[in-house]
Amino acid sequence: MGLKDFFKNRQLKKAAKLRNGTSTAGSVHELKTQPPVCDEVLCTLWAKCTGCNELLYTSELKKNLGLCKHCSYHHRVTANERIEQLTDFGNFIEINENIYPTDPLNFTDLKPYKDRLKEAEKSSGSKEAITTGIGTINNQGVALAVMEFQYIGGSMGSVVGEKITRLIEKAIEQRLPVIIVSSSGGARMHEGILSLMQMAKTSSALRKLHEEKLLYISLLTEPTFGGVTASFSMLGDIIISEPKARIGFAGRRVIEETIRQKLPKDFQTAEYLLENGQIDAIVSRSELKQYLSNQIKLHSQNKSKASEKNGTNKTTFEKLLAWV
Amino acid sequence: MGLKDFFKNRQLKKAAKLRNGTSTAGSVHELKTQPPVCDEVLCTLWAKCTGCNELLYTSELKKNLGLCKHCSYHHRVTANERIEQLTDFGNFIEINENIYPTDPLNFTDLKPYKDRLKEAEKSSGSKEAITTGIGTINNQGVALAVMEFQYIGGSMGSVVGEKITRLIEKAIEQRLPVIIVSSSGGARMHEGILSLMQMAKTSSALRKLHEEKLLYISLLTEPTFGGVTASFSMLGDIIISEPKARIGFAGRRVIEETIRQKLPKDFQTAEYLLENGQIDAIVSRSELKQYLSNQIKLHSQNKSKASEKNGTNKTTFEKLLAWV
Amino acid sequence: MKQNNIVPLDFEKPLFALSKQIIELESKTIHNGNKKTVENLKIQYENVKSEIYKNLSPIDKVKIARHPQRPYPLDYINLISPTWYELHGDRTGKDDYAIVGGLIEIDGQTIMAIGTQKGRNIKENQKRNFGMPSPEGYRKALRLFYHAEKFNFPVITFIDTPGAYPGLEAEAHNQSQAIAMNLRELAGLTVPVISVIIGEGGSGGALAVGVANRILMLENSVYSVISPEGCSAILWRTKDKAADAANALKITAQDLFELGIIDEIIPEVEGGAHYNPKETSQDLLISLKHHLQELSKLTPEEIKKDRQEKIRTIGKFLEV
Amino acid sequence: MKQNNIVPLDFEKPLFALSKQIIELESKTIHNGNKKTVENLKIQYENVKSEIYKNLSPIDKVKIARHPQRPYPLDYINLISPTWYELHGDRTGKDDYAIVGGLIEIDGQTIMAIGTQKGRNIKENQKRNFGMPSPEGYRKALRLFYHAEKFNFPVITFIDTPGAYPGLEAEAHNQSQAIAMNLRELAGLTVPVISVIIGEGGSGGALAVGVANRILMLENSVYSVISPEGCSAILWRTKDKAADAANALKITAQDLFELGIIDEIIPEVEGGAHYNPKETSQDLLISLKHHLQELSKLTPEEIKKDRQEKIRTIGKFLEV
Ligand SMILES: [Zn+2]
Ligand SMILES: [Zn+2]
């Protein structure tokens, strides 16, 4: 059995498993019924490492979570791959998957926004720049959002804002920790002021989450910029990043033009942010699931002590499904 | 009638006025029954301005609130003078005036601490490095503390900590705004760890005041350093300073020795602090009473709107006396 | 007809030329009877004027919004309040002059006023960084928001900024987090917050002091996710399509009102508020009083809920 | 008797000399029967040892507290917890390595651990600034205090610092305010706070992470309003009277226990914790568990009140 078949098989199994479990509105996540979506680099037999230029088997790269075996460079992965990497096998169910972008401003630049949306869906294999859902990480329930950079640069328009907001609301309802994996160029200009206001909307939802004292872990990945960094991404109780990811508010070029000087090479890297007190830790993708799992455990065990008598603390995926 | 007689007369009048008003535990503030205490500079006929070296009539200087008429340099004034400048004529009553320092560590350096205390009382005319009490500022009640730098460099030992703490507790009890006028070299070494802990004690009291949403204005005057700056002085809702006052945590010399470089001339001045975002405003002594009065009004009028029907908002000193 | 030393914008130039002609002709014709020509010119002037100002394009409004003589927050504060006690600093290392904050009074009530403040000349703009705040400015604002909540002061923010400053130190000091925290904490305030876009509402840098119960816009102000120039550069791949971008982005007060983002448009005098700051400020004051009055009927929890619900509904999408 | 590569302090030198003598003699006398001399020397050694360590002066304890091999916060954290997730940064521009903070576990309970951290060598000390925190370090700690309160984590602080850093940037960034805010906010926390002075408790810089429900001190640690050297320079007007100052200031664990400032003295092995960090850490852990257990019986409000009342009573004065 080739690797591709293996993946396909595995996904079909998951899909079956999920279908049996779900009887409510939430439908099974796209990932589970379609073959993995690859960008041009990853789908050819060989890929060149962005970090060290070495040639890598794409299949091997994929198996290795997108990490280069030579230099550990963290290549971008799709939202679906990320979800697969982080959640327990088969234990993720997408919510609010039927929210689609519109063209509220009737926006046209060199090309109509409507066309861009269609192209983005086709090239990214995703319906918008984010996937949200409920799943488990080492048997602990979690509300998870993962941004899809391939979809118009992971830009935040009304759909991204709405999906994140609903995910947070769901987390509050179900007392779940929230994890958001960011990767974005910022706000989506084509939706004008409406996209700007999604910064306020998501932050306002996080204010409620904060008051509810629920954990929010923000994971920053290559690249995270603009209105996304300047709203939900920087509001984590714990903020972590993958190594070498570029993160900032303004783009490097804009800053260089403004201040008329060259910026240091490591400027706006995860390492720079750590040095400048902006993030809690840099976590390698290979340790990410364990890290998140342990943080969730550490942040829930004191509270759960009181409710110990009520039995085990573990979240079964079946319990979660009932909530969706 | 000479100026000195005028002052004396005025004080006696105040004392009489106060005595008539008070029938409770609080006793009349020292200021009202003793002649004003002058340091060497102020009590001679002429004084040399610290700011511009011009010669000034000390009597005129005093009348001018300690400000040089040539360069506006703000000369240090005693706690009693400060109280007189800020509160309404005759409307200040000292509280907790019968708390005296002891020598808990039996401390002796080149001289016993006990001797230093006696000398300090003699040279400063004050019983400790602070005077606290209740008064009115333009008919608005206020809990006021004024530090006396002449008393062992305004250092904070157990008495200063206790008096400030009690004043804050009184303010909470009587729903009064708090004003603390700082002038201090820091903690009083001769009381060792006990003096250090006064930083925690006063800050803890301010935490309660904060929760009670009562206004606290901190006025920094030449000089304010060390454990005083690093506790109650920097915790004002509003923090203001007199012009050119030197304020900081570590002393200039210590820093120069540590970093082995000369410090900028304006380092640790009020102007430097304003530039560096540490204080709200620099207020000239001649405008200080009006400034404080207006801030108190601004901070009380929204709340009092609700209680408008209950009649006037003004605090009579008689009301205050009943609380002491 | 006198332009009060107002610097004309490009589209106003015909008007200024006409005005000059009339004035010249008038002084010449005092003693000969050539009144008819002047009368005609005056009629022409009025026609041109109403046509120009009736048909302002979005990019024209951008120009008015950025007019160097446009009133700034401190001008409005000065015109609407008898009191102004500025409060300075973030308490941790800097006083950012691109953001001003302090106490004002409206109807005997204390208000926390915050504004993004541009400079009037080069020197002042160096100090105020052309109205582009640093993280420390946003943190100063946050401190003052908390202060306002503690003492039950409604908050009014006056917004006129090209955006948050894109600089090295700004990034090093976490501009993103400073803005994000303001968004979150503004959403949670239990005192009324009213924001007024008085000039340029520049993206996240404006929103960071603009999460409010009521958002008002002056008639000729604009509010956008990105500057027309920036949008042009990115989407049109040229800097010359700013006018097109300004159209496409829907950034005028009228657009935002129609999109349901803002609550009220404050009228300006013909040509813009800089022709008569006093009049505009009085209209603004009336509106502020009205909204303050309305919001004063709500409990603290209701005020917070009102704001959060307002924000919650923003966004257009299709749900199937 | 083996000194495990411990660097001797001046007053320990006779002991180290004896030890060396014994070891040399022992190796020589294995084959001849000169056991008696060795026995005598060993008895002498024990006598000298007990005399030295029984009569440690305050300044001797200062030396032990500053011993370059003394265990630091990260050593204790490593020895008492299976878990250590360090959390970095103040979120506004700097991660101060002179203060470390993160999550540990004790008895299956999550604890927020904060420590002032010195470096072991020159390079590490450059990074950690000899354990002297900057304002950013205190603000990182404050962020973590709030984090702890939000998630119901007790806080344990490990204190070993000469004091807050007296530097230009530290003043520019408002060292005073950073310390003061920590004092105030620590006083208000509703989760248990336990502080352990494990080495030098240096003035306000130590107190800024030391306002606690329970204050523990290791036997040879010191806690003072000013360093003995600083006190000597100011009050004796010479740097040579540090020993006298150390006496006068009452800075040892025993002194502070008698003054009612601290709640418990954790014993160290003879000579100091650096002779056996493991043993000291186990004693510390037992004590921490005990106090955590006790404090867990209180409600959040009681925890806060307990701390505030403890602080409230400190101070000696005469009231007539
Ligand atoms: Zn590589
Ligand atoms: Zn002078």
Side-chain angles (χ1 to χ4, degrees):
Chain A
M1 185 171 72
L3 199 67
K4 209 161 180 175
D5 290 332
F6 168 77
F7 270 111
K8 199 169 177 182
N9 247 335
R10 197 171 135 195
Q11 278 137 23
L12 290 174
K13 265 192 219 154
K14 281 197 214 175
K17 191 175 170 192
L18 280 171
R19 278 217 198 78
N20 293 339
T22 173
S23 60
T24 58
S27 83
V28 171
H29 181 247
E30 280 302 300
L31 173 69
K32 318 309 197 254
T33 53
Q34 284 177 6
V37 178
C38 306
D39 62 24
E40 281 177 6
V41 175
L42 292 184
C43 267
T44 51
L45 195 59
W46 297 90
K48 210 182 199 181
C49 172
T50 313
C52 68
N53 284 329
E54 289 280 342
L55 283 181
L56 304 164
Y57 275 110
T58 49
S59 57
E60 205 182 14
L61 183 61
K62 209 175 194 92
K63 212 164 55 175
N64 201 25
L65 307 172
L67 307 191
C68 170
K69 67 176 175 182
H70 304 291
C71 74
S72 290
Y73 183 85
H74 285 53
H75 293 87
R76 203 144 62 215
V77 292
T78 66
N80 289 342
E81 285 169 326
R82 176 75 69 182
I83 290 164
E84 208 177 313
Q85 287 173 15
L86 292 183
T87 55
D88 299 332
F89 186 79
N91 284 5
F92 178 80
I93 185 156
E94 188 174 358
I95 60 172
N96 298 308
E97 71 278 30
N98 290 325
I99 299 178
Y100 295 93
T102 63
D103 180 15
L105 306 189
N106 209 359
F107 193 97
T108 296
D109 44 85
L110 295 178
K111 191 186 283 186
Y113 177 44
K114 280 202 181 76
D115 293 357
R116 284 192 195 272
L117 290 173
K118 276 179 212 147
E119 284 165 29
E121 187 175 340
K122 210 171 149 192
S123 71
S124 72
S126 191
K127 284 182 290 184
E128 247 286 1
I130 199 162
T131 302
T132 60
I134 305 287
T136 64
I137 294 182
N138 292 341
N139 294 316
Q140 298 171 111
V142 66
L144 175 67
V146 181
M147 297 190 81
E148 175 55 67
F149 191 78
Q150 287 302 109
Y151 190 100
I152 316 186
S155 57
M156 170 159 67
S158 298
V159 172
V160 169
E162 183 69 18
K163 282 193 174 184
I164 286 180
T165 304
R166 289 196 190 181
L167 184 76
I168 294 164
E169 288 165 350
K170 174 68 72 183
I172 291 171
E173 198 188 306
Q174 308 299 347
R175 311 295 306 162
L176 289 173
V178 174
I179 296 175
I180 303 180
V181 184
S182 295
S183 181
S184 170
R188 190 173 300 166
M189 288 170 280
H190 320 76
E191 296 187 20
I193 196 77
L194 295 173
S195 70
L196 182 71
M197 291 295 157
Q198 304 310 309
M199 292 170 65
K201 193 162 91 180
T202 53
S203 301
S204 174
L206 285 172
R207 167 76 205 200
K208 285 191 209 172
L209 191 81
H210 179 62
E211 284 174 17
E212 296 285 342
K213 303 189 177 188
L214 288 165
L215 176 65
Y216 165 34
I217 302 177
S218 172
L219 168 60
L220 312 175
T221 71
E222 160 75 7
T224 304
F225 276 86
V228 164
T229 326
S231 61
F232 59 85
S233 290
M234 272 296 167
L235 292 173
D237 296 301
I238 309 273
I239 305 178
I240 58 176
S241 172
E242 289 193 331
K244 295 211 172 79
R246 286 170 302 167
I247 302 143
F249 176 64
R252 192 182 178 92
R253 204 177 41 78
V254 173
I255 298 169
E256 285 186 336
E257 276 171 18
T258 306
I259 65 175
R260 284 172 204 168
Q261 64 183 73
K262 279 273 162 201
L263 293 164
K265 209 186 154 203
D266 75 335
F267 185 66
Q268 293 184 327
T269 59
E271 292 71 20
Y272 179 89
L273 265 69
L274 186 66
E275 179 82 21
N276 283 281
Q278 307 183 9
I279 58 176
D280 285 293
I282 295 172
V283 182
S284 163
R285 196 177 293 160
S286 55
E287 289 158 21
L288 204 47
K289 183 173 180 179
Q290 195 56 49
Y291 184 95
L292 293 171
S293 162
N294 286 359
Q295 286 289 9
I296 293 170
K297 173 173 164 272
L298 285 168
H299 283 81
S300 59
Q301 64 188 2
N302 290 20
K303 273 177 217 157
S304 63
K305 267 198 155 183
S307 54
E308 239 165 27
K309 298 149 207 162
N310 303 337
T312 175
N313 207 3
K314 287 210 173 156
T315 309
T316 63
F317 188 58
E318 285 63 37
K319 265 199 236 169
L320 286 177
L321 283 179
W323 294 343
V324 174
Chain B
M1 185 171 73
L3 198 68
K4 208 161 183 177
D5 290 333
F6 167 78
F7 269 112
K8 197 169 179 182
N9 248 333
R10 198 172 133 194
Q11 279 138 22
L12 289 174
K13 267 193 219 155
K14 279 198 216 174
K17 191 177 169 192
L18 279 171
R19 278 217 198 77
N20 293 338
T22 174
S23 60
T24 57
S27 84
V28 172
H29 182 246
E30 281 302 301
L31 173 69
K32 319 306 198 258
T33 52
Q34 284 179 6
V37 178
C38 305
D39 62 23
E40 281 178 6
V41 175
L42 292 182
C43 268
T44 52
L45 195 57
W46 295 92
K48 209 184 200 178
C49 171
T50 313
C52 67
N53 285 329
E54 288 280 342
L55 283 181
L56 304 164
Y57 276 110
T58 50
S59 57
E60 207 182 13
L61 183 60
K62 208 177 195 89
K63 212 164 56 175
N64 200 24
L65 307 170
L67 307 191
C68 170
K69 66 176 176 180
H70 305 291
C71 73
S72 290
Y73 183 86
H74 286 52
H75 292 87
R76 206 146 57 214
V77 291
T78 66
N80 289 342
E81 285 169 327
R82 176 74 69 180
I83 290 164
E84 209 177 311
Q85 289 173 15
L86 292 183
T87 55
D88 299 331
F89 187 80
N91 283 5
F92 179 79
I93 184 157
E94 188 175 356
I95 61 172
N96 298 309
E97 71 277 29
N98 291 325
I99 298 179
Y100 296 92
T102 63
D103 181 14
L105 307 188
N106 209 359
F107 193 97
T108 296
D109 45 85
L110 295 178
K111 190 187 286 187
Y113 177 44
K114 281 203 180 73
D115 293 358
R116 285 192 194 271
L117 290 173
K118 275 179 212 148
E119 286 166 27
E121 186 173 343
K122 212 171 149 193
S123 72
S124 72
S126 190
K127 283 183 291 186
E128 246 287 357
I130 199 162
T131 303
T132 61
I134 305 287
T136 65
I137 295 182
N138 292 341
N139 294 315
Q140 299 170 111
V142 66
L144 176 66
V146 181
M147 299 191 80
E148 176 55 67
F149 191 78
Q150 287 302 109
Y151 189 100
I152 315 186
S155 57
M156 169 158 68
S158 298
V159 172
V160 169
E162 183 69 17
K163 281 193 174 185
I164 286 181
T165 304
R166 289 196 189 181
L167 184 76
I168 294 164
E169 287 165 350
K170 175 67 73 183
I172 292 172
E173 196 187 306
Q174 307 298 346
R175 311 295 307 164
L176 288 173
V178 174
I179 296 174
I180 303 180
V181 184
S182 295
S183 182
S184 170
R188 190 174 298 165
M189 288 170 281
H190 319 76
E191 296 187 20
I193 197 76
L194 296 173
S195 70
L196 182 70
M197 291 294 156
Q198 304 310 307
M199 292 170 65
K201 193 162 92 179
T202 53
S203 301
S204 174
L206 285 173
R207 167 75 204 202
K208 285 191 209 171
L209 191 81
H210 179 64
E211 283 173 18
E212 297 284 343
K213 302 190 178 187
L214 289 165
L215 177 65
Y216 165 37
I217 302 177
S218 172
L219 168 60
L220 311 175
T221 71
E222 160 75 9
T224 305
F225 276 86
V228 165
T229 326
S231 61
F232 60 85
S233 290
M234 272 296 167
L235 292 173
D237 296 301
I238 310 271
I239 305 177
I240 58 177
S241 171
E242 289 193 331
K244 296 213 171 78
R246 286 170 302 166
I247 301 142
F249 176 65
R252 192 183 179 90
R253 204 178 38 79
V254 172
I255 298 170
E256 285 185 337
E257 277 172 17
T258 305
I259 65 174
R260 284 170 204 171
Q261 63 183 73
K262 279 272 162 200
L263 293 164
K265 209 185 154 203
D266 73 337
F267 184 67
Q268 293 185 326
T269 59
E271 292 71 19
Y272 178 89
L273 264 69
L274 186 66
E275 179 82 20
N276 283 282
Q278 306 184 8
I279 58 176
D280 286 294
I282 295 173
V283 182
S284 163
R285 196 176 293 162
S286 54
E287 290 158 21
L288 203 46
K289 184 174 180 178
Q290 195 56 50
Y291 184 95
L292 293 171
S293 162
N294 287 357
Q295 286 289 12
I296 293 170
K297 174 174 163 274
L298 285 168
H299 282 81
S300 58
Q301 64 188 2
N302 290 20
K303 273 178 218 156
S304 63
K305 266 200 155 181
S307 54
E308 238 164 27
K309 299 149 206 163
N310 304 337
T312 176
N313 207 3
K314 287 211 171 152
T315 309
T316 63
F317 188 56
E318 284 65 38
K319 267 199 238 170
L320 284 178
L321 283 178
W323 293 344
V324 173
Chain C
M1 202 156 297
K2 201 161 156 279
Q3 302 300 342
N4 297 311
N5 302 317
I6 295 290
V7 179
L9 294 167
D10 53 1
F11 57 84
E12 289 180 316
K13 279 179 183 156
L15 210 53
F16 276 62
L18 262 175
S19 170
K20 203 179 158 198
Q21 209 181 330
I22 291 167
I23 289 163
E24 275 173 16
L25 216 57
E26 261 185 332
S27 66
K28 277 183 207 154
T29 56
I30 284 169
H31 301 291
N32 58 41
N34 204 358
K35 277 188 181 166
K36 189 83 203 261
T37 318
V38 173
E39 292 290 296
N40 282 340
L41 274 174
K42 282 191 177 172
I43 289 163
Q44 200 188 334
Y45 177 89
E46 287 304 323
N47 288 340
V48 171
K49 185 169 135 182
S50 83
E51 206 168 325
I52 285 177
Y53 291 130
K54 231 192 310 180
N55 299 306
L56 290 175
S57 70
I59 199 72
D60 291 338
K61 295 211 167 179
V62 170
K63 286 169 191 163
I64 297 177
R66 292 175 185 166
H67 195 286
Q69 288 161 307
R70 194 166 175 82
Y72 296 150
L74 290 176
D75 299 309
Y76 288 112
I77 284 168
N78 190 36
L79 286 163
I80 67 172
S81 170
T83 313
W84 170 238
Y85 279 96
E86 188 167 353
L87 302 172
H88 287 275
D90 67 341
R91 294 266 199 269
T92 74
K94 182 171 166 180
D95 187 32
D96 181 4
Y97 296 108
I99 287 199
V100 295
L103 303 178
I104 65 172
E105 279 180 292
I106 292 180
D107 278 347
Q109 193 184 19
T110 308
I111 311 277
M112 180 64 78
I114 312 274
T116 52
Q117 180 77 21
K118 295 176 178 174
R120 250 330 142 213
N121 51 49
I122 292 176
K123 202 185 149 193
E124 223 193 310
N125 262 323
Q126 277 172 340
K127 178 179 161 188
R128 301 205 182 273
N129 201 24
F130 299 87
M132 292 182 282
S134 301
E136 291 82 359
Y138 293 115
R139 295 194 181 109
K140 167 165 76 173
L142 182 59
R143 173 171 85 82
L144 298 180
F145 295 148
Y146 289 149
H147 188 105
E149 177 151 60
K150 179 172 178 181
F151 295 104
N152 195 27
F153 302 155
V155 175
I156 297 177
T157 68
F158 300 88
I159 298 174
D160 183 14
T161 176
Y165 185 58
L168 194 158
E169 200 182 76
E171 296 285 326
H173 294 181
N174 213 347
Q175 186 72 278
S176 307
Q177 190 263 6
I179 294 172
M181 272 303 278
N182 279 18
L183 301 183
R184 190 184 86 177
E185 295 305 290
L186 272 175
L189 285 195
T190 54
V191 290
V193 182
I194 300 173
S195 291
V196 196
I197 316 290
I198 59 170
E200 281 183 281
S203 193
L207 187 64
V209 290
V211 178
N213 295 80
R214 300 284 186 274
I215 307 176
L216 321 178
M217 277 180 85
L218 293 194
E219 190 184 343
N220 294 306
S221 63
V222 294
Y223 194 1
S224 179
V225 65
I226 185 170
S227 72
E229 293 82 359
C231 183
S232 163
I234 296 172
L235 293 184
W236 277 264
R237 291 181 202 136
T238 162
K239 293 200 170 170
D240 306 333
K241 296 288 182 182
D244 292 351
N247 277 333
L249 284 165
K250 304 274 190 293
I251 62 178
T252 68
Q254 197 57 46
D255 291 329
L256 266 70
F257 189 79
E258 278 166 21
L259 284 166
I261 304 292
I262 67 165
D263 300 276
E264 193 181 337
I265 300 173
I266 314 287
E268 298 181 35
V269 296
E270 227 172 25
H274 53 299
Y275 282 94
N276 193 339
K278 213 164 188 174
E279 195 177 318
T280 304
S281 72
Q282 287 318 300
D283 286 340
L284 175 56
L285 181 58
I286 289 165
S287 173
L288 288 173
K289 283 185 183 179
H290 165 72
H291 292 293
L292 285 171
Q293 177 60 29
E294 274 202 356
L295 291 166
S296 74
K297 292 171 196 155
L298 305 182
T299 66
E301 272 311 305
E302 285 169 345
I303 287 167
K304 180 169 147 185
K305 208 175 160 198
D306 170 84
R307 192 179 320 108
Q308 291 183 347
E309 282 175 0
K310 176 191 173 71
I311 303 160
R312 178 64 188 87
T313 60
I314 300 178
K316 301 254 157 108
F317 51 85
L318 181 73
E319 189 163 13
V320 290
Chain D
M1 200 155 297
K2 200 159 160 280
Q3 302 298 343
N4 296 313
N5 301 316
I6 296 288
V7 179
L9 294 166
D10 53 2
F11 57 84
E12 290 179 315
K13 278 179 184 155
L15 209 51
F16 276 63
L18 263 175
S19 170
K20 202 178 157 198
Q21 208 181 330
I22 291 167
I23 289 163
E24 275 173 17
L25 217 56
E26 262 186 332
S27 67
K28 275 185 209 153
T29 56
I30 285 169
H31 301 290
N32 59 40
N34 204 357
K35 277 187 180 167
K36 190 86 201 264
T37 317
V38 172
E39 292 290 298
N40 281 341
L41 274 174
K42 280 189 179 176
I43 289 164
Q44 198 188 337
Y45 178 89
E46 287 303 322
N47 288 341
V48 171
K49 186 168 136 184
S50 83
E51 205 167 326
I52 285 176
Y53 290 131
K54 232 193 310 184
N55 298 307
L56 290 174
S57 71
I59 199 72
D60 292 337
K61 295 211 169 181
V62 170
K63 286 170 191 162
I64 296 177
R66 292 176 184 165
H67 193 286
Q69 289 162 305
R70 194 166 174 83
Y72 296 150
L74 289 177
D75 299 311
Y76 288 112
I77 284 168
N78 190 35
L79 287 163
I80 67 173
S81 169
T83 312
W84 169 238
Y85 279 95
E86 188 166 354
L87 302 172
H88 288 275
D90 67 342
R91 293 268 198 270
T92 75
K94 182 170 164 179
D95 186 33
D96 180 3
Y97 296 110
I99 287 199
V100 295
L103 302 178
I104 65 172
E105 281 180 291
I106 292 179
D107 278 346
Q109 195 183 19
T110 307
I111 310 278
M112 180 64 79
I114 312 272
T116 53
Q117 180 76 24
K118 296 177 178 175
R120 253 324 145 215
N121 50 48
I122 292 176
K123 202 184 149 193
E124 223 194 310
N125 262 324
Q126 277 173 341
K127 179 179 161 187
R128 302 205 182 273
N129 201 23
F130 299 87
M132 291 182 284
S134 301
E136 291 82 0
Y138 292 116
R139 295 194 180 109
K140 167 165 76 174
L142 182 59
R143 174 173 84 83
L144 299 180
F145 296 149
Y146 289 150
H147 189 104
E149 177 152 58
K150 179 172 177 180
F151 295 104
N152 195 27
F153 302 154
V155 175
I156 298 177
T157 68
F158 299 88
I159 298 173
D160 183 15
T161 175
Y165 184 59
L168 193 159
E169 200 182 75
E171 295 285 326
H173 293 181
N174 214 346
Q175 187 73 277
S176 306
Q177 190 263 5
I179 294 172
M181 272 302 278
N182 279 17
L183 300 182
R184 190 185 87 177
E185 294 306 290
L186 271 175
L189 285 196
T190 54
V191 289
V193 182
I194 300 173
S195 291
V196 196
I197 315 291
I198 59 170
E200 281 183 281
S203 194
L207 188 63
V209 290
V211 178
N213 295 79
R214 300 283 186 275
I215 307 176
L216 321 178
M217 278 179 85
L218 293 194
E219 190 184 343
N220 294 305
S221 63
V222 294
Y223 195 1
S224 178
V225 65
I226 185 169
S227 71
E229 293 81 1
C231 184
S232 163
I234 298 172
L235 294 185
W236 276 265
R237 290 180 202 136
T238 163
K239 295 199 169 172
D240 306 333
K241 295 288 183 182
D244 292 351
N247 276 334
L249 284 166
K250 304 274 189 292
I251 61 177
T252 68
Q254 196 58 44
D255 290 330
L256 266 70
F257 188 79
E258 277 166 22
L259 283 165
I261 304 294
I262 66 165
D263 300 277
E264 192 182 336
I265 300 173
I266 315 286
E268 298 181 35
V269 296
E270 227 172 22
H274 53 300
Y275 282 95
N276 193 341
K278 213 164 189 175
E279 193 176 321
T280 304
S281 72
Q282 288 317 302
D283 285 340
L284 174 56
L285 181 57
I286 289 165
S287 173
L288 289 173
K289 283 185 183 181
H290 166 71
H291 291 294
L292 284 171
Q293 177 61 29
E294 274 201 357
L295 291 166
S296 74
K297 293 173 196 153
L298 305 182
T299 66
E301 272 311 304
E302 285 169 346
I303 287 167
K304 180 169 148 185
K305 209 176 158 197
D306 170 83
R307 191 178 321 108
Q308 291 183 346
E309 282 175 0
K310 176 189 172 73
I311 302 160
R312 178 65 189 86
T313 59
I314 300 178
K316 303 253 157 111
F317 51 85
L318 180 72
E319 190 164 15
V320 291

